[in-house]
Amino acid sequence: KAKTAPAFLAKSMGEVQVTTASAPLKPTAPAAMSPAQWKDFRVLKKTYVTHDTQTFRLQVPNDVTPHFPVCGHIKIAATTEDGERICRSYTPIATGPGWFDVMVKVYPEGQVSQYIHTMDVGDILQCKGPYLGEFEYEPNQYTRYGLLAAGTGITPFVGLITTLLQ
């Protein structure tokens, strides 16, 4: 059963626009996901990283190991009490057979991040993607990297750093 956003959020959610500005990556989309279609993913685990940031492990059907582009993202949807769908982009930070992790920082004005933080183990999140961001990683493209990030901007770098170290 999908949850709806808390009532106190529903009033301000009408201002959120749903966009699909990023181009879908059809060749690299894992079978369990689709850039064109919302799919259900069960929350397997929640782990606090800080007081306002959690990692959510989401189950992928049939033990498929999803493959996301480095610095790419997925969209996660929330549904308001009056049925409006809103979404935001999140970067997967880890994958394995039958799961992937996303790290989400909750913001006072962040309707989707607040919605995600209400999820319990066993609840369903709707996702679609993957999509490529503005940076496209090419193996061995550079011999040195300089990375600068602040706040939640560090999340795309987690996947990049992991890839660079492999």
Side-chain angles (χ1 to χ4, degrees):
K1 171 182 153 190
K3 287 188 175 185
T4 57
F8 69 93
L9 295 176
K11 294 175 190 164
S12 63
M13 287 185 171
E15 300 169 11
V16 178
Q17 297 296 314
V18 178
T19 61
T20 55
S22 301
L25 287 178
K26 293 177 184 166
T28 60
M33 295 193 79
S34 167
Q37 180 182 359
W38 292 102
K39 295 199 176 190
D40 293 343
F41 294 88
R42 185 171 309 282
V43 177
L44 293 175
K45 181 170 131 180
K46 290 171 56 170
T47 305
Y48 272 93
V49 178
T50 66
H51 70 284
D52 61 359
T53 304
Q54 294 183 65
T55 298
F56 292 82
R57 178 156 292 175
L58 304 179
Q59 183 178 25
V60 177
N62 305 318
D63 288 330
V64 171
T65 301
H67 298 285
F68 299 103
V70 175
C71 298
H73 63 276
I74 61 170
K75 294 184 184 289
I76 298 179
T79 305
T80 65
E81 290 177 349
D82 48 343
E84 181 183 3
R85 176 175 298 205
I86 57 173
C87 67
R88 289 289 180 263
S89 297
Y90 294 91
T91 303
I93 61 166
T95 63
W99 59 268
F100 66 93
D101 290 347
V102 291
M103 188 181 303
V104 180
K105 179 177 180 173
V106 67
Y107 288 96
E109 302 297 321
Q111 294 107 349
V112 177
S113 67
Q114 288 185 28
Y115 171 80
I116 294 170
H117 275 250
T118 69
M119 294 287 112
D120 293 318
V121 171
D123 287 344
I124 300 294
L125 281 173
Q126 291 191 322
C127 306
K128 70 178 181 176
Y131 303 91
L132 183 60
E134 293 183 27
F135 173 79
E136 189 169 350
Y137 171 74
E138 299 278 336
N140 303 313
Q141 182 178 10
Y142 304 106
T143 56
R144 301 173 97 178
Y145 286 84
L147 306 175
L148 178 64
T152 58
I154 190 75
T155 308
F157 288 164
V158 172
L160 176 60
I161 291 167
T162 301
T163 300
L164 290 172
L165 294 174
Q166 292 175 347

